[in-house]
C-alpha cells in the first residue's frame, strides 16, 4: 500500500505543478469521454435529477446534468492542484467572508466551540483551507474513511496541509470532548449531507422531493458542548475561485427542539442547490436507502432482539 501511495503521490504532485489554466484544458478534454463514452454514473445522476426536479423540462435537466459533469471535471483538476498549491494562491482562490462577525459572536457569547454545517457543494475540499484564515482557532473537519487506503492517505494529506485536523467520524465525540480541555477555541466542519448507515438513521425530513435521513451528529454534539452553529454558504465566483460566507443558525442550540437545526440545515442546503444545481455532487447515491426500507430494517432488528 505504501508503494501505491508513493507512486500516486509522485504522479499527482508532478501533474499539480502545471498551471491551473492548463489543468482546466485537461478538464475540458476529460468531459467528453466521461460524459459520452464512460458515462460515469450517468444513470444515477439522471434518475436523481428526474426525481428531484419533476417540474423541470427534459432540456433543463439535461443542461443541469452537463453543467454538473463540466464542474465535476474541474473539481478533479482543482483537487490535483492542491498537491502543490501555495498558501498565497489558496487564499486567493478560496475566500472566507464574515469571519470577524463569527469571532465577535464567539467572544461575546464566550463560546469554546463553533460547528459548521457544510455540504458536498462547490469544491468542498477547499474548505479545509479555513485554517489559514483562523490561526488562533483549532480548525478541523469530520471525515469518513475512503475504502481505498492509498486514496484515503492522499486525501488526509491534502486536507491536513492547511493546518486543520481531520477527525474520523466514529471518533468525533471523543475527540471533541478532548479538545474541550485545550486553550484555543475550536471550529469543526461537518459535511452532513452524506447517506447514513441504517443504524445512524434517526430522523427523516423532506429534502429535494425525497424523504431523507441526515446525520444528526452536528446538532446532537453541539447541544452537548454548547457550540455555536453556522451554515457555510459556498459560491463559485468564477472558474477556480470560490467564496464562503457564514450564516448563524444558533448560538444556543439547546434552545431548539430535537432535529429542528438539522431540518434548518437541510432547507438551506436545498435552497442553494435549487439556485445552482450543477454544483452539488449528483453522482453520490443519496437515496439508495429509503424510509420504507429503513422501517423494515428497524422492524426486523426489533424482532431479532425479542428472540
Amino acid at each position: 500500500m505504501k508503494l501505491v501511495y508513493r507512486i500516486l503521490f509522485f504522479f499527482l504532485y508532478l501533474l499539480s505543478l502545471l498551471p491551473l489554466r492548463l489543468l482546466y484544458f485537461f478538464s475540458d478534454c476529460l468531459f467528453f469521454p466521461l460524459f459520452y463514452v464512460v458515462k460515469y454514473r450517468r444513470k444515477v445522476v439522471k434518475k436523481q435529477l428526474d426525481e428531484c426536479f419533476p417540474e423541470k423540462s427534459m432540456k433543463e435537466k439535461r443542461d443541469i446534468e452537463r453543467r454538473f459533469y463540466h464542474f465535476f471535471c474541474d473539481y478533479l483538476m482543482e483537487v490535483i492542484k492542491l498537491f502543490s498549491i501555495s498558501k498565497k494562491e489558496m487564499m486567493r482562490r478560496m475566500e472566507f467572508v464574515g469571519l470577524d462577525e463569527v469571532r465577535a459572536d464567539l467572544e461575546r457569547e464566550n463560546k469554546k466551540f463553533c460547528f459548521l454545517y457544510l455540504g458536498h457543494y462547490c469544491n468542498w475540499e477547499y474548505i479545509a483551507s479555513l485554517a489559514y484564515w483562523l490561526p488562533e482557532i483549532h480548525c478541523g473537519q469530520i471525515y469518513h474513511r475512503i475504502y481505498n487506503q492509498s486514496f484515503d492517505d492522499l486525501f488526509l494529506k491534502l486536507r491536513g496541509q492547511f493546518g486543520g485536523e481531520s477527525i474520523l467520524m466514529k471518533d468525533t465525540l471523543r475527540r471533541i470532548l478532548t479538545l474541550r480541555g485545550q486553550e484555543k477555541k475550536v471550529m469543526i466542519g461537518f459535511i452532513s449531507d452524506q447517506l447514513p448507515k441504517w443504524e445512524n438513521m434517526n430522523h427523516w425530513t423532506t429534502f429535494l422531493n425525497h424523504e431523507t435521513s441526515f446525520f444528526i451528529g452536528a446538532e446532537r454534539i453541539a447541544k452537548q458542548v454548547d457550540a455555536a452553529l453556522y451554515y457555510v454558504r459556498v459560491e463559485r465566483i468564477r472558474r477556480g475561485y470560490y467564496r464562503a460566507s457564514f450564516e448563524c443558525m444558533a448560538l444556543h442550540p439547546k434552545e431548539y427542539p430535537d432535529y429542528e437545526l438539522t431540518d434548518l440545515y437541510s432547507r438551506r442546503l436545498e435552497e442553494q442547490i435549487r439556485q445552482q444545481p450543477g454544483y452539488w455532487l449528483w453522482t453520490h447515491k443519496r437515496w439508495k436507502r429509503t424510509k420504507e426500507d429503513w422501517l423494515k430494517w428497524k422492524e426486523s432488528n426489533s424482532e431479532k432482539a425479542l428472540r
Side-chain angles (χ1 to χ4, degrees), residues 183-223:
E183 292 184 7
K184 279 187 173 184
K185 293 185 182 298
V186 180
M187 186 174 286
I188 305 291
F190 291 76
I191 297 183
S192 298
D193 61 345
Q194 295 166 293
L195 175 64
K197 294 181 179 179
W198 297 116
E199 61 271 19
N200 293 322
M201 292 179 173
N202 297 281
H203 173 63
W204 294 78
T205 189
T206 302
F207 174 69
L208 290 173
N209 208 37
H210 291 79
E211 281 290 315
T212 309
S213 181
F214 284 86
F215 281 108
I216 61 171
E219 174 183 340
R220 181 173 287 174
I221 299 173
K223 291 181 177 182

Side-chain angles (χ1 to χ4, degrees), residues 113-118 124 127-132 134 137-143 159-160 162-168 172 175-176 179 182 185-191 232:
F113 289 99
C114 176
F115 291 171
L116 309 176
Y117 269 122
L118 306 162
W124 56 94
I127 302 295
S129 66
L130 178 61
Y132 280 162
L134 296 169
I137 293 179
H138 183 95
C139 294
Q141 56 276 331
I142 309 305
Y143 85 99
R159 293 163 183 165
F162 308 113
E165 177 186 3
S166 294
I167 303 170
L168 193 60
T172 301
R175 180 57 182 153
I176 287 174
L179 289 170
Q182 71 169 23
K185 293 185 182 298
V186 180
M187 186 174 286
I188 305 291
F190 291 76
I191 297 183
V232 181

Side-chain angles (χ1 to χ4, degrees), residues 56-116:
K56 292 187 182 296
S57 68
M58 186 178 299
K59 181 182 182 303
E60 287 175 314
K61 286 180 282 192
R62 175 77 169 191
D63 288 343
I64 294 171
E65 186 182 8
R66 289 176 61 87
R67 285 199 299 272
F68 163 70
Y69 277 95
H70 274 295
F71 166 71
F72 185 68
C73 292
D74 280 358
Y75 162 79
L76 295 176
M77 296 302 120
E78 289 169 1
V79 169
I80 288 172
K81 188 62 183 176
L82 289 178
F83 281 85
S84 63
I85 197 167
S86 68
K87 179 178 180 180
K88 181 180 179 181
E89 182 73 1
M90 187 72 254
M91 294 182 75
R92 190 167 68 88
R93 292 186 174 275
M94 183 71 231
E95 178 188 11
F96 294 91
V97 297
L99 290 178
D100 288 340
E101 289 82 357
V102 176
R103 287 187 180 100
D105 287 344
L106 298 181
E107 288 298 325
R108 184 182 66 254
E109 302 294 332
N110 193 28
K111 292 289 182 180
K112 171 74 175 182
F113 289 99
C114 176
F115 291 171
L116 309 176

